[in-house]
Amino acid sequence: MEHKGFTLWFTGLSGSGKSALADLIARDLKKRGMKVERLDGDIVRQSLTSDLGFSEEDRIRNIERVTFVAKLLTRNGVAVLASFISPYNKIREYSRKEIGDYILVYVKCSLEECMKRDPKGLYKKALAGEIKQFTGIDHPFEEPDNPDIIVETDKQSIEESKEIILKALEQMGYLPNNN
Ligand SMILES: Nc1ncnc2c1ncn2[C@@H]1O[C@H](COP(=O)(O)OP(=O)(O)O)[C@@H](O)[C@H]1O
Ligand SMILES: [Mg+2]
């Protein structure tokens, strides 16, 4: 089904649920017959941006490159689901300006809960000093000052968060009519 392209951009701490939510929504949008692509920090950092580290400068470069890809896909009618910590307001606004049809989702979750989940064991390593420049531990995360959607994954189920996002997309006119 023809639909307008957009980038749904998930920002949040490691372990907040960006990838889990983006994967779930990708499945849902595909079922509706939409053209969908996923861009995920962990995967992009093994390919497109494998030369980059986690300094402020490299985090910005990482997002700049991904934004370039998201922009091309978006203007070709793809629903892009991008999941990146993307910790700075300045780079989030850069992506918004470049992509245009950009919807920022703040995947809000307390650092305590993220550390408890620790799905990849990274907080443990960061606390032990084995990983440096880890967001929330020894590197900053700026709360988004201009999110379009906020989900609170330490208070909602993943299904509830998904419904909030889909409803918002529908209200913004990004979902094709089901009739
Ligand atoms: N309400 C929730 N919303 C999203 N994820 C949740 C929720 N409750 C528990 N989780 C779990 O938390 C983990 C989040 O990991 P992940 O999606 O990889 O985070 P991120 O991509 O933000 O680093 C997943 O294992 C997910 O199943
Ligand atoms: Mg992830």
Side-chain angles (χ1 to χ4, degrees):
M1 198 184 298
E2 273 308 305
H3 59 87
K4 192 169 162 50
F6 61 86
T7 292
L8 190 63
W9 190 290
F10 297 80
T11 182
L13 292 170
S14 179
S16 59
K18 301 180 296 298
S19 299
L21 258 172
D23 287 344
L24 199 64
I25 291 172
R27 281 208 293 277
D28 196 285
L29 298 184
K30 277 181 195 161
K31 267 191 221 151
R32 294 167 195 247
M34 296 171 73
K35 285 188 286 183
V36 179
E37 280 291 349
R38 282 279 285 110
L39 286 170
D40 190 82
D42 289 342
I43 294 161
V44 166
R45 277 185 171 279
Q46 289 170 19
S47 51
L48 181 66
T49 60
S50 58
D51 55 318
L52 301 179
F54 292 87
S55 64
E56 178 175 352
E57 211 179 28
D58 275 7
R59 286 171 187 267
I60 289 169
R61 284 201 192 102
N62 183 45
I63 300 303
E64 280 172 351
R65 288 189 206 165
V66 167
T67 295
F68 180 82
V69 178
K71 179 181 174 175
L72 301 188
L73 292 168
T74 298
R75 77 179 183 208
N76 277 285
V78 176
V80 180
L81 303 182
S83 40
F84 297 88
I85 297 175
S86 41
Y88 313 121
N89 278 311
K90 203 174 152 195
I91 193 69
R92 295 176 190 127
E93 287 314 309
Y94 168 84
S95 301
R96 185 189 295 282
K97 204 167 128 256
E98 284 292 309
I99 297 168
D101 287 285
Y102 167 96
I103 305 128
L104 181 63
V105 182
Y106 177 23
V107 184
K108 191 172 179 185
C109 185
S110 70
L111 181 62
E112 291 67 34
E113 175 63 20
C114 290
M115 288 171 71
K116 212 158 77 188
R117 288 179 190 168
D118 205 6
K120 288 172 274 181
L122 294 176
Y123 284 101
K124 195 168 170 242
K125 286 187 183 161
L127 288 172
E130 291 162 25
I131 307 176
K132 302 281 181 213
Q133 299 183 311
F134 195 76
T135 303
I137 304 298
D138 58 352
H139 222 256
F141 179 83
E142 296 174 8
E143 291 240 301
D145 58 17
N146 195 18
D148 300 288
I149 305 169
I150 301 174
V151 291
E152 300 191 65
T153 67
D154 51 2
K155 301 194 176 101
Q156 300 154 353
S157 71
I158 188 159
E159 287 294 332
E160 285 171 328
S161 297
K162 183 186 98 167
E163 288 308 320
I164 288 168
I165 294 165
L166 288 175
K167 199 155 182 207
L169 281 179
E170 191 174 9
Q171 279 168 356
M172 292 176 201
Y174 284 114
L175 296 189
N177 291 327
N178 275 332
N179 49 26

